[in-house]
Amino acid sequence: MTHTSFATTTRGLNRDLPPMRLYEKAKKLGIWNPSDIDFSKDKADWVKFTDEEKDLCLLLLSMFVAGEEAVTLDLLPLIQAVAQEGRIEEEMYLTTFLFEEAKHTDFFRRFMDEVAEAGTDLTRYHSDNYRQLFYEALPSALNALRVDASPANQIAASVTYNMVVEGVLAETGYHAFFTMLERNDLLPGLRKGISLLKQDESRHIAYGVYLLSRLIAAHPQEWDNLQTQMNTLLPSAIGVIGDAFARYQIVPFGLVEEDFVNYAMSQFGKRFERLEKARGASLDEINRVAREAEEI
């Protein structure tokens, strides 16, 4: 496909669009280096952990590092779909996604190599529910955009990636790490990296809410598709949490399964309410709400 014009020499860039505002934040806040994080205290803490405490940490780490690798591998079709529509402001912001997801993969693997000395065979921690989401649903939804970048497929991809993988599972995982480690002042390097990573992911989720809101506002007939996709994937996401707790007779660090299921459902419900408000809204209204949202 050839070009007939360029936005930067015909209309310029709309710096007031929510994706461009997120791009500004990414340039300012997203430039951190996993190699700069000090793991010396983490190494001292790790050797004092019980076998079950180490096992729970490795379980979470194995799910995070594989999940970050999965989105790094599978993200390109979404960027391409947005680019093909000429949405240069959104594409500019999406270029930061790939860098950040790769950086998150780097961070978790570095901790696993230098602190946990985890080895490489960690797939035993990936339950059927986890595999259903990360081995099947995520690549399937995103790669469908290679052959059909319709609004329906864009909705399916963003729901899977931004709303469920990031908005439910990743955020619940951060909550687990901080609940385990913050109150006991353990693994400060891991906590530092996760706090920076969480900042990156909050921008990703904000864009996902914006993208889905824009698509639903323009294609209200796709609401049932969005709702079905979210409700279809939610049981597997909650199942991942249940699978983790089922490994232990006494859960390390005093974690309580109900707390994390409730947290996951709360995150899901919060985003679902935002998306419901997009039905029947104008694009100007979508942009205004996104700019005013806490994430932006």
Side-chain angles (χ1 to χ4, degrees):
M1 186 174 71
T2 59
H3 297 293
T4 57
S5 65
F6 295 96
T8 48
T9 50
T10 53
R11 62 170 176 81
L13 295 174
N14 184 349
R15 297 187 183 274
D16 201 37
L17 277 179
M20 281 297 284
R21 292 158 68 93
L22 288 167
Y23 180 59
E24 287 298 321
K25 283 199 166 189
K27 289 187 290 181
K28 194 178 300 181
L29 301 173
I31 309 302
W32 57 275
N33 186 350
S35 300
D36 292 339
I37 292 175
D38 181 7
F39 285 147
S40 55
K41 171 72 163 51
D42 298 56
K43 292 176 184 178
D45 288 343
W46 185 261
V47 297
K48 298 174 186 174
F49 280 13
T50 67
D51 288 344
E52 289 219 320
E53 287 169 343
K54 288 179 179 178
D55 188 77
L56 178 55
C57 286
L58 286 173
L59 167 67
L60 289 169
L61 288 164
S62 73
M63 290 195 291
F64 262 111
V65 75
E68 300 292 355
E69 181 184 351
V71 290
T72 304
L73 291 170
D74 297 328
L75 183 57
L76 280 172
L78 178 61
I79 301 174
Q80 186 66 33
V82 168
Q84 286 174 342
E85 293 180 355
R87 300 180 186 276
I88 184 63
E89 292 89 351
E90 294 188 37
E91 186 192 0
M92 287 172 69
Y93 175 52
L94 279 167
T95 64
T96 70
F97 272 47
L98 198 54
F99 169 64
E100 288 169 357
E101 301 293 17
K103 182 178 59 182
H104 302 165
T105 306
D106 174 19
F107 167 73
F108 282 117
R109 191 62 235 185
R110 181 179 167 235
F111 180 91
M112 293 162 74
D113 290 337
E114 297 181 20
V115 179
E117 298 180 352
T120 54
D121 186 16
L122 298 171
T123 55
R124 65 186 183 276
Y125 290 113
H126 296 171
S127 68
D128 289 345
N129 282 304
Y130 182 91
R131 288 171 180 272
Q132 196 279 320
L133 287 172
F134 288 92
Y135 287 60
E136 298 173 20
L138 181 70
S140 176
L142 283 158
N143 282 297
L145 296 172
R146 294 183 186 275
V147 293
D148 177 9
S150 63
N153 279 358
Q154 290 186 45
I155 286 169
S158 184
V159 164
T160 306
Y161 172 35
N162 303 117
M163 296 299 102
V164 176
V165 166
E166 292 184 319
V168 176
L169 276 180
E171 291 207 328
T172 304
Y174 309 143
H175 184 53
F177 269 125
F178 284 118
T179 303
M180 290 161 50
L181 306 175
E182 189 98 5
R183 61 190 176 197
N184 298 309
D185 193 24
L186 296 168
L187 305 181
L190 181 61
R191 283 187 283 130
K192 173 67 173 174
I194 290 173
S195 68
L196 292 166
L197 188 149
K198 186 178 178 184
Q199 246 182 3
D200 293 345
E201 299 282 16
S202 71
R203 295 190 298 273
H204 298 182
I205 295 167
Y207 173 75
V209 172
Y210 171 79
L211 172 62
L212 289 168
S213 297
R214 172 172 67 70
L215 288 166
I216 287 299
H219 308 279
Q221 72 277 9
E222 293 295 342
W223 174 255
D224 287 346
N225 170 37
L226 183 152
Q227 195 170 20
T228 297
Q229 186 76 1
M230 290 188 80
N231 290 333
T232 298
L233 295 176
L234 183 61
S236 293
I238 299 301
V240 170
I241 300 169
D243 294 338
F245 278 89
R247 287 180 63 87
Y248 309 100
Q249 285 190 328
I250 299 175
V251 183
F253 302 102
L255 300 187
V256 178
E257 180 176 357
E258 185 180 4
D259 294 344
F260 294 93
V261 171
N262 290 342
Y263 183 87
M265 291 301 297
S266 171
Q267 297 304 97
F268 178 87
K270 183 168 64 175
R271 274 55 184 262
F272 195 79
E273 284 178 17
R274 281 277 307 277
L275 295 174
E276 276 191 308
K277 292 176 182 175
R279 301 172 70 186
S282 66
L283 184 56
D284 285 345
E285 198 172 349
I286 296 298
N287 289 336
R288 178 184 59 77
V289 169
R291 285 194 296 268
E292 293 173 356
E294 186 178 340
E295 298 103 318
I296 310 267

